[in-house]
């Protein structure tokens, strides 16, 4: 056992003495030491249940013959940080979480682990840590929040952000905004649509790092405790069988995951995260892989562009139903998983024992290839003289081309102020630059701006391009991850107000006719000069490589 390094032989008497001080017996110390790492926090609903789930995971490890040891790491909640300087900490937190898991687990020579995660960046961070260490383990997502209800309509935090724009436009009053605010988030769990958390929870199941169906269970469902217990047993089984995460994180598994994101119109953040997971697992996986994946039709009717939340998807059969449709259409292939089943065997088992159906039929939530919602996945990879290294276009429901004058802003805050002042006109291309991984620093999400545009009724009439990124709740004609970013010499730094910008999805192009080479690039002073964010800005790679910080 790896843990023999800290507990076997006369020289390890001091370590054993300290382990005994925590309440462990000789028998406990002799067993495999299994980490239970979680991102519990009580500042948001997303991670609120994880400490409780950790106790169930511990019991599962004990029942399977292991000794659990528990660690906590950080979380940054995007829904709270959105639109503030705090959002700069979100993407860097992914690296800190992965690093802290690695340091805690390797520092104590643990044998296996269960990672319990909640809000957006905690999920890919767990996969990155597993891929980096290649240690037996599984990941369990704490689960989605239940939808709120306002005026007999199911709502999520997405509607709150959009209500802010509607309020600024005078379309709703203070009382209605307050009512939406109070009813959108009824309890524990991460944001309810196919936003980043639920997208990445599905990704980790598709990659084989999370057991089939367990991530789908909502946070407040009593069955979630049993899921955590089972994950403890799964980790022990993986340890005994010698299964390692890099056996699951293959190029084909990553393709399956990218296809699943496209098929559910999931968060474009998944592109960043899959690139980073592939890097940590040592798997070559370039940005262009996502264009091939994006040719998958959208077969699930999920928010933000669709009607249903992750709760309804769970009742309709969850991730297994989506994967079953993709398998039947020949879009994905069978791959190993950390439970020992292949992906397709896990799908078969889940489809044979579906969750209790709700009041909505499964085919309403997942129409499948018989009635796809869109012929093309939720995103596309574009290139051009504004994005030589590529960018990600989040596709609107109907439009595939937009041409208009640039309205250039050097920060998200300046753009948001212009939107709230009703200074953006139909046809405009809102440009937000110097918000990339290094320039931000931290590559903030632009949900406050994009939701305000939608709330003002401009969602179908303007486009937005940025070297920052978008929330999974963003919808409309939006282009993010523009690389290279403005702060590192990218062409956005040479764009000016009034320049014509063309976004053409069919041509896979984002360009301007302006002569950028004749201009001096704009620049800004570094926004952060010391501390964790300054260190991140110095080390972070391009978004086209997943904004990784490891070599």
């Amino acid at each position: 056992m790896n843990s023999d390094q800290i507990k076997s032989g006369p020289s390890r008497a001091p370590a054993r003495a300290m382990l005994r001080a925590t309440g462990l017996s000789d028998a406990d110390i002799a067993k495999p030491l299994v980490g239970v790492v979680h991102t519990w926090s009580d500042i948001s609903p997303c991670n609120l249940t994880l400490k409780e789930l950790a106790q169930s995971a511990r019991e599962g490890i004990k029942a399977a013959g292991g000794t659990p040891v528990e660690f906590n790491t950080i979380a940054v909640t995007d829904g709270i940080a959105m639109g503030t300087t705090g959002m700069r900490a979100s993407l860097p937190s992914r690296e800190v979480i992965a690093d802290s898991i690695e340091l805690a687990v390797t520092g104590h020579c643990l044998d296996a682990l269960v990672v319990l995660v909640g809000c957006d960046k905690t999920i890919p961070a767990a996969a990155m840590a597993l891929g980096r260490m290649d240690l037996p383990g599984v990941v369990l997502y704490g689960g989605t929040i239940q939808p709120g209800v306002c005026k007999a309509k199911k709502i999520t935090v997405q509607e709150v952000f959009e209500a802010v724009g509607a309020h600024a436009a005078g379309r709703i009053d203070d009382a209605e905004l307050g009512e939406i605010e109070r009813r959108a988030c009824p309890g524990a769990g991460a944001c309810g649509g196919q936003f980043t958390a639920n997208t990445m929870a599905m990704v980790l199941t598709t990659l084989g790092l999370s057991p089939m169906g367990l991530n789908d269970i909502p946070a407040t469902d009593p069955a979630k405790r049993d899921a955590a217990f089972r994950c403890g047993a799964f980790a022990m089984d993986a340890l005994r069988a010698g299964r390692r995460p890099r056996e699951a994180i293959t190029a084909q598994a990553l393709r399956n995951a990218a296809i699943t994101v496209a098929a559910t119109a999931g968060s474009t953040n998944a592109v960043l995260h899959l690139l980073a997971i592939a890097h940590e697992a040592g798997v070559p996986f370039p940005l262009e892989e996502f264009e091939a994946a994006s040719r998958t039709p959208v077969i699930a009717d999920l928010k933000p562009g669709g009607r249903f939340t992750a709760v309804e998807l769970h009742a309709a059969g969850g991730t297994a139903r989506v994967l079953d449709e993709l398998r039947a259409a020949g879009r994905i292939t069978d791959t190993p998983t950390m439970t020992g089943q292949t992906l397709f065997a896990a799908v078969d088992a889940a489809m044979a024992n579906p969750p209790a159906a709700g009041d909505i039929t499964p085919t309403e939530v997942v129409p499948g290839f018989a009635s796809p919602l869109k012929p093309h996945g939720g995103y596309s990879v574009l290139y051009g003289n504004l994005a030589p290294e590529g960018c990600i276009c989040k596709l609107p429901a109907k439009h595939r081309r937009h041409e208009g004058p640039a309205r250039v802003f050097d920060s998200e805050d300046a753009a948001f102020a212009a939107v709230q002042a009703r200074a953006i006109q139909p046809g405009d291309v809102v440009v937000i630059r110097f918000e990339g991984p290094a320039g931000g620093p931290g590559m903030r999400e632009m949900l406050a701006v994009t939701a305000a545009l939608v709330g003002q009724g401009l969602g179908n009439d303007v486009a937005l391009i940025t070297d920052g990124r978008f929330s999974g709740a963003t919808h409309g004609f939006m282009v993010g991850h523009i690389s290279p970013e403005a702060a590192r010499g990218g062409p956005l730094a040479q764009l000016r107000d009034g320049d014509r910008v063309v976004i053409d999805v069919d041509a896979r192009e984002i360009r301007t006719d302006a002569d950028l080479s004749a201009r001096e690039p704009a620049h800004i002073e570094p926004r952060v000069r010391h501390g964790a964010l300054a260190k991140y800005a110095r080390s972070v790679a391009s978004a086209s490589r997943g904004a990784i910080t490891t070599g």
Side-chain angles (χ1 to χ4, degrees):
M1 289 186 289
N2 191 42
S3 59
D4 286 339
Q5 296 180 73
I6 64 167
K7 66 186 187 184
S8 296
S11 66
R12 304 314 304 154
R16 290 193 296 273
M18 296 189 75
L19 291 170
R20 284 194 183 87
T22 69
L24 297 184
S25 66
D26 287 351
D28 295 329
I29 294 169
K31 295 174 183 175
L33 299 184
V34 181
V36 178
V37 186
H38 56 80
T39 59
W40 173 85
S41 167
D42 67 359
I43 199 170
S44 77
C46 313
N47 306 283
L48 199 57
T49 61
L50 300 183
K51 188 189 294 186
E52 178 181 290
L53 292 180
Q55 304 316 304
S56 296
R58 291 174 66 98
E59 291 304 315
I61 292 165
K62 289 178 182 177
T67 296
V69 291
E70 187 175 337
F71 297 93
N72 183 217
T73 184
I74 68 164
V76 173
T77 304
D78 291 12
I80 292 174
M82 196 73 67
T84 74
T85 57
M87 194 63 199
R88 292 184 181 132
S90 172
L91 188 59
S93 78
R94 184 190 72 177
E95 315 307 304
V96 173
I97 295 163
D99 290 351
S100 65
I101 294 172
E102 175 197 1
L103 293 173
V105 171
T106 59
H108 297 91
C109 302
L110 303 184
D111 298 300
L113 70 159
V114 176
V115 191
L116 305 171
V117 292
C119 194
D120 298 359
K121 307 309 172 293
T122 67
I123 307 172
M128 290 164 65
L130 282 177
R132 185 186 301 176
M133 294 184 295
D134 202 28
L135 197 70
V138 295
V139 182
L140 177 66
Y141 167 53
T144 183
I145 195 171
Q146 296 285 337
V149 178
C150 187
K151 296 182 179 179
K153 179 183 177 183
K154 290 181 179 180
I155 63 172
T156 69
V157 73
Q158 171 190 340
E159 282 76 14
V160 187
F161 279 102
E162 292 174 4
V164 172
H167 181 266
R171 296 167 66 186
I172 63 174
D173 59 17
D174 291 350
E176 188 170 353
L177 176 61
E179 185 74 359
I180 294 169
E181 172 191 331
R182 287 171 176 80
R183 294 185 178 274
C185 300
C191 299
Q194 191 68 341
F195 311 152
T196 303
N198 286 317
T199 298
M200 291 309 300
M202 187 177 286
V203 161
L204 262 62
T205 300
T206 307
L207 287 176
L209 300 179
S210 296
M212 184 65 63
L214 300 192
N215 284 352
D216 298 334
I217 301 169
T220 54
D221 189 323
K224 203 73 185 190
R225 289 189 183 185
D226 179 64
F229 182 94
R230 292 172 63 192
C231 281
F234 280 132
M236 285 296 298
D237 184 62
L239 173 63
R240 292 192 172 108
R243 289 190 291 273
R244 302 271 178 168
R246 291 193 179 194
E247 296 170 17
I249 307 172
T250 63
Q252 189 54 55
L254 290 160
R255 291 187 191 103
N256 287 347
I259 288 165
T260 304
V261 174
T264 57
S267 170
T268 52
N269 281 312
V271 175
L272 278 178
H273 300 326
L274 279 166
L275 289 170
I277 293 165
H279 170 77
E280 296 292 358
V283 180
F285 199 74
L287 179 64
E288 189 62 15
E289 288 275 7
F290 293 90
E291 179 60 29
S294 74
R295 295 170 193 153
T296 309
V298 176
I299 62 170
D301 193 0
L302 302 173
K303 287 176 176 288
R307 294 180 293 163
F308 299 112
T309 69
V311 172
E312 284 108 353
L313 177 62
H314 171 57
T319 299
R321 180 166 292 277
V322 173
L323 294 177
D324 191 44
E325 288 283 341
L326 291 170
R327 173 179 59 174
R331 299 284 180 150
I332 59 173
T333 58
D334 208 5
T335 51
T337 77
M338 287 303 297
T339 67
Q341 285 182 307
T342 67
L343 183 68
F344 286 178
V347 169
D348 288 338
M351 293 298 289
N353 295 282
D359 55 359
I360 299 167
T361 63
T363 53
E364 284 183 88
V365 185
V366 185
F369 286 88
S371 302
L373 282 85
K374 297 179 188 177
H376 189 288
Y379 61 84
S380 188
V381 181
L382 310 182
Y383 299 89
N385 66 349
L386 289 177
E389 293 179 4
C391 60
I392 303 297
C393 177
K394 191 155 191 172
L395 301 179
K398 299 177 182 178
H399 304 96
R400 297 183 67 80
R401 191 179 190 279
H402 185 99
E403 180 175 351
R407 295 293 311 281
V408 181
F409 302 94
D410 287 348
S411 70
E412 177 189 8
D413 311 87
F416 184 71
V419 173
Q420 292 296 81
R422 310 298 304 280
I424 304 302
Q425 302 301 316
D428 285 349
V429 178
V430 178
V431 180
I432 305 177
R433 63 188 181 186
F434 296 108
E435 290 286 7
M443 204 178 182
R444 291 196 288 180
E445 292 180 349
M446 304 294 146
L447 180 58
V449 177
T450 61
L453 288 168
V454 171
Q456 291 183 16
L458 291 171
N460 293 320
D461 300 317
V462 301
L464 187 149
I465 70 174
T466 179
D467 51 11
R469 59 194 176 92
F470 299 122
S471 164
T474 291
H475 58 112
F477 212 147
M478 310 294 172
V479 180
H481 308 199
I482 290 178
S483 302
E485 61 177 289
R488 288 190 170 165
L492 282 190
Q494 293 158 301
L495 205 61
R496 301 289 183 267
D497 272 341
D499 288 345
R500 300 299 293 180
V501 173
V502 176
I503 307 164
D504 190 328
V505 175
D506 292 327
R508 296 186 58 202
E509 186 175 39
I510 179 169
R511 60 177 171 82
T512 180
D513 295 331
D515 185 3
L516 301 181
S517 64
R519 296 175 179 170
E520 287 293 318
H523 72 278
I524 62 168
E525 293 298 314
R527 294 184 171 117
V528 180
R529 294 183 180 273
H530 67 278
L533 290 177
K535 181 166 63 175
Y536 177 84
R538 290 191 296 269
S539 63
V540 68
S542 168
S544 64
R545 295 181 57 211
I548 55 174
T549 58
T550 54

